[in-house]
Amino acid sequence: MVDWDLVLIALLAEDEERQIRTANLTKRQFWVHNLWRTRSTNGEFSNLFNDLRYDLRKFYDYYRMDYEKFEKYLITGASFKSLAFSYRMGFTTVRNIVHETCQAIFTVLRSTALPKPTSQQWQSIATDFDKFWNFPNCIGAIDGKHFKIRAPNNSGSMYINYKKFFSIVLSAVVDAKYKFVIVDVGAYGRNSHGGILQSSKFGSKLRNGFLCIPPEKALPHSTQKLPHVFVADEAFPLTENIMRPYPSHLLNDEKKRIFNYRLSRARRIVENAFGMLQERFELFQKGIKVQPKYINNIILASTCLHNFIIDGHSMDALSSNTNNAIDRTNDSVFNNLDGMVVRDCFTEYFSNVGNVYWQNEIVNRC
């Protein structure tokens, strides 16, 4: 006869043994790859970095900043996987370090490298634009930069821009020294620069008079008072505080061509700043292979580092180029003038008392 008690005991023992085996298989095993064990002796930081620190030129060529700045903030254009092998670390570890570091950089540097603009700061920027780029009452150049990204999951066409690649947009105001004053990042690539400005916090504060913009001021060597303005390209609206060029069908008038030249000369500073940012941070020269939720921190941290690197550098070299807590400071800047009137006033000024001697030759070359 079958002893059912023994059968039951055997089945229970077998089931218990099976559960133990399953638990052992699913339990995560913690171990370190042999490559990572040599980090302290063979890693890049222990070898190449120590060699380059004694050759400052090569150090700058490789890390895109001098040694003193590098001591505070690290920078590289390598992929996460390349960094993982170079520094003998796991891929996930490197990725987490980069994201956490970018967040920390922006948090720490924001108050000093990218502070909230004040009325005094706007006035200082206006002085610099007049001194270096011959555009008085200019408090910044506005533009947007498309950064190429890997197609996000389930994003449809939201990130596809007019150049037919996936991108995320950095909108920025830049001062006369190529430093970012205001940045807004995260807009979809399909959106126009004008549309992004309209829906941004910066655009809202500008429309409602909450940017601490100084009141109208007399232009140099003139008694005419005009508002402080941002300079922009055709993608932006013409308002009392935003100047854009005249359209091509109006350029038979030499004065309008001169205005466009003077505006372009000041506006190119924002394009140069974007170019410097892309050149300094090689990550932006390729498609950014991270999810959009991480890209914002990377770009914001980079703008802070860009300003941090520029701070303290002399602008004397630009002198030769001149020849060839938000409050309601002013509820409505120059309410009695619209954008077209302000632009016409600048046009007359640039062709008369505010002219520079080389402008006519340049605008009439064609």
Side-chain angles (χ1 to χ4, degrees), residues 193-256:
H193 294 325
I196 293 172
L197 174 68
Q198 181 71 17
S199 60
S200 68
K201 290 183 179 180
F202 167 68
S204 175
K205 290 178 180 179
L206 178 61
R207 289 191 304 273
N208 295 298
F210 288 111
L211 278 180
C212 295
I213 295 178
E216 66 273 14
K217 180 181 178 182
L219 300 178
H221 312 295
S222 171
T223 59
Q224 183 176 28
K225 291 185 176 181
L226 287 180
H228 288 82
V229 299
F230 300 97
V231 291
D233 62 15
E234 298 87 346
F236 292 87
L238 176 65
T239 71
E240 61 186 358
N241 293 119
I242 300 178
M243 293 291 98
R244 55 176 284 176
Y246 286 100
S248 58
H249 68 274
L250 296 178
L251 296 184
N252 289 331
D253 186 336
E254 183 183 61
K255 291 183 178 181
K256 291 181 172 60

Side-chain angles (χ1 to χ4, degrees), residues 64 147 277-287:
R64 294 296 191 274
F147 289 102
L277 185 72
Q278 182 167 313
E279 178 65 22
R280 178 170 283 133
F281 298 92
E282 294 184 8
L283 167 73
F284 301 137
Q285 298 175 21
K286 316 165 187 175

Side-chain angles (χ1 to χ4, degrees), residues 343-362:
R343 183 170 65 180
D344 288 343
C345 289
F346 273 111
T347 299
E348 288 297 322
Y349 173 78
F350 288 147
S351 291
N352 293 286
V353 66
N355 77 90
V356 289
Y357 69 86
W358 66 87
Q359 63 187 27
N360 294 72
E361 178 183 355
I362 290 179

Side-chain angles (χ1 to χ4, degrees), residues 20-268:
I20 293 173
R21 287 200 306 268
T22 303
N24 288 335
L25 288 174
T26 57
K27 185 178 180 180
R28 184 174 180 182
Q29 301 296 317
F30 292 91
W31 60 281
V32 178
H33 195 283
N34 288 335
L35 278 175
W36 312 153
R37 293 178 186 273
T38 62
R39 181 187 311 154
S40 60
T41 56
N42 297 333
E44 179 175 316
F45 190 81
S46 302
N47 292 276
L48 181 61
F49 175 81
N50 285 328
D51 292 337
L52 290 179
R53 63 185 296 185
Y54 298 108
D55 189 328
L56 298 183
R57 179 174 294 277
K58 291 189 181 298
F59 188 98
Y60 187 92
D61 289 342
Y62 187 76
Y63 290 109
R64 294 296 191 274
M65 64 171 67
D66 57 43
Y67 176 72
E68 287 74 19
K69 296 284 176 26
F70 188 92
E71 281 186 311
K72 297 183 179 180
Y73 300 99
L74 308 184
I75 173 176
T76 180
S79 67
F80 289 161
K81 288 187 177 179
S82 296
L83 288 172
F85 283 105
S86 293
Y87 289 91
R88 304 299 198 268
M89 290 182 175
F91 167 77
T92 304
T93 303
V94 170
R95 182 184 62 189
N96 292 339
I97 288 174
V98 170
H99 295 323
E100 291 174 7
T101 301
C102 286
Q103 178 63 56
I105 287 173
F106 180 65
T107 301
V108 172
L109 280 186
R110 183 178 184 179
S111 60
T112 55
L114 201 63
K116 185 180 298 183
T118 64
S119 180
Q120 291 75 18
Q121 184 179 358
W122 291 129
Q123 292 179 32
S124 177
I125 293 173
T127 299
D128 288 338
F129 264 104
D130 185 27
K131 176 181 179 181
F132 299 126
W133 311 115
N134 308 108
F135 203 113
N137 286 24
C138 176
I139 53 176
I142 307 177
D143 204 356
K145 169 70 176 176
H146 287 268
F147 289 102
K148 187 176 182 180
I149 63 173
R150 181 175 58 187
N153 299 330
N154 304 315
S155 62
S157 61
M158 292 189 300
Y159 289 93
I160 300 179
N161 61 36
Y162 66 99
K163 293 183 178 180
K164 306 303 180 185
F165 63 83
F166 290 87
S167 67
I168 198 167
V169 182
L170 166 64
S171 298
V173 176
V174 173
D175 68 16
K177 299 179 180 179
Y178 307 100
K179 289 178 57 180
F180 294 102
V181 181
I182 295 176
V183 294
D184 183 278
V185 64
Y188 299 135
R190 67 179 296 180
N191 295 339
S192 67
H193 294 325
I196 293 172
L197 174 68
Q198 181 71 17
S199 60
S200 68
K201 290 183 179 180
F202 167 68
S204 175
K205 290 178 180 179
L206 178 61
R207 289 191 304 273
N208 295 298
F210 288 111
L211 278 180
C212 295
I213 295 178
E216 66 273 14
K217 180 181 178 182
L219 300 178
H221 312 295
S222 171
T223 59
Q224 183 176 28
K225 291 185 176 181
L226 287 180
H228 288 82
V229 299
F230 300 97
V231 291
D233 62 15
E234 298 87 346
F236 292 87
L238 176 65
T239 71
E240 61 186 358
N241 293 119
I242 300 178
M243 293 291 98
R244 55 176 284 176
Y246 286 100
S248 58
H249 68 274
L250 296 178
L251 296 184
N252 289 331
D253 186 336
E254 183 183 61
K255 291 183 178 181
K256 291 181 172 60
R257 294 200 303 274
I258 290 173
F259 172 85
N260 279 10
Y261 162 67
R262 297 285 289 272
L263 180 139
S264 176
R265 190 167 183 271
R267 192 195 64 80
R268 69 182 179 182

